[in-house]
Amino acid sequence: MEEERWLRYDRQMRLDGWGMAGQERLAQARVAIVGAGGLGCPAALYLAAAGVGTLKLIDSETVELTNLNRQILYWSEDIGRPKVCSAAEKLQRLNPLIRIEPIEARLTSENVEALLGDVEIIVDALDNFETRLILNDYAVRSRKPLVHGAIWGWEGRAMTVLAPQTACLRCLFEAGPPPGVFPVVGTTPGLIAMIQTTEVLKLLLGLGEPLFNRYLIYDGLTMEMRVLHVRPRSDCPTCRILRTEE
């Protein structure tokens, strides 16, 4: 079993700064993915493949036919099943060396601490702006890294929040998109989820430069990426309190 473990991760451990010590660090990590949809599925898939020790999947929905163009952990026979249960089964088959914790629940301001208090990094894979702000506010209060991703059609966005030194989502957005069903091509959440996964691995391993105070915008139609430099808002209702305490 030990030989199989190291062979599984051999190629990534060859990277500078990774090695056995880095792989052990991943094995001890606890990461939450909030939202098991278009972003959450590929993010969970690649974090599981990389050997992140515990993945907590949080989502309250069941699989629907309209999910299948982009939510790659679900198949036709999964329609009607809880997303987190279906995803957990496949992820555990992919990598039996890690632990998957499926939580069939909707994140609220009342349960956010109970659901996320035992994790060290949070992946924002949501499609609901109000819930996203609950997640943002908790991450700022707890000073846990929040790896944000969002998509619309051919466009995707990503940023990593780490209070109090970075801008938070409330620094950037005062209001979300209009409610309703939005268009999306499956490749957009796949690509943004890969960026989020890369951010998580960098944070856990202490490598590279995370997207701190940098807002990445991807346009699939022009195949261009832009990075906007952002900074905390002095009047931000969430993170200005921490900066004042500093």
Side-chain angles (χ1 to χ4, degrees):
M1 179 65 74
E2 193 66 16
E3 181 181 0
E4 176 190 341
R5 177 188 179 196
W6 297 120
L7 282 174
R8 177 183 290 266
Y9 306 124
D10 175 72
R11 298 293 286 272
Q12 62 197 36
M13 289 194 301
R14 293 173 183 265
L15 291 166
D16 290 342
W18 197 307
M20 294 181 66
Q23 198 60 48
E24 287 286 3
R25 171 71 183 98
L26 295 190
Q28 298 303 315
R30 293 182 58 86
V31 174
I33 301 172
V34 186
L39 291 167
C41 283
L45 192 64
Y46 276 87
L47 289 174
V52 172
T54 300
L55 293 177
K56 179 177 282 192
L57 307 180
I58 302 172
D59 198 296
S60 63
E61 296 182 350
T62 58
V63 179
E64 298 178 359
L65 182 60
T66 58
N67 301 149
L68 301 187
N69 81 312
R70 65 199 181 281
Q71 300 182 17
I72 58 174
L73 281 175
Y74 313 126
W75 305 334
S76 296
E77 58 264 35
D78 295 316
I79 292 172
R81 297 190 63 203
K83 287 184 177 180
V84 293
C85 296
S86 177
E89 289 177 6
K90 298 181 180 73
L91 293 169
Q92 203 68 79
R93 288 169 61 190
L94 170 69
N95 191 345
L97 302 180
I98 66 171
R99 178 181 175 85
I100 309 296
E101 297 181 0
I103 308 294
E104 190 180 353
R106 181 181 178 86
L107 189 92
T108 67
S109 56
E110 287 74 29
N111 66 15
V112 63
E113 174 64 42
L115 292 179
L116 299 178
D118 62 348
V119 304
E120 55 188 295
I121 295 179
I122 305 163
V123 177
D124 166 18
L126 291 162
D127 60 3
N128 179 288
F129 188 73
E130 291 182 2
T131 309
R132 177 167 280 150
L133 290 183
I134 294 172
L135 198 60
N136 173 78
D137 294 352
Y138 171 77
V140 170
R141 291 195 309 271
S142 63
R143 306 193 184 199
K144 294 181 179 182
L146 173 65
V147 183
H148 163 69
I151 51 119
W152 183 285
W154 295 92
E155 184 179 289
R157 305 181 178 202
M159 184 177 78
T160 296
V161 174
L162 182 58
Q165 61 261 45
T166 74
C168 76
L169 298 184
R170 285 191 189 269
C171 292
L172 273 65
F173 308 111
E174 295 185 359
V181 177
F182 59 89
V184 59
V185 59
T187 54
T188 304
L191 189 145
I192 296 300
M194 294 305 92
I195 292 171
Q196 291 179 278
T197 303
T198 303
E199 288 288 284
V200 171
L201 295 175
K202 285 157 49 182
L203 289 166
L204 290 173
L205 296 168
L207 299 175
E209 298 180 9
L211 285 169
F212 291 160
N213 290 320
R214 293 185 295 154
Y215 191 58
L216 184 148
I217 301 174
Y218 158 76
D219 186 336
L221 288 178
T222 62
M223 203 49 68
E224 293 180 334
M225 284 192 183
R226 294 182 294 143
V227 175
L228 304 181
H229 292 269
V230 298
R231 59 184 179 182
R233 265 177 42 208
S234 60
D235 61 343
C236 174
T238 297
C239 65
R240 67 179 175 85
I241 299 173
L242 286 185
R243 293 197 301 275
T244 300
E245 292 174 351
E246 289 288 308

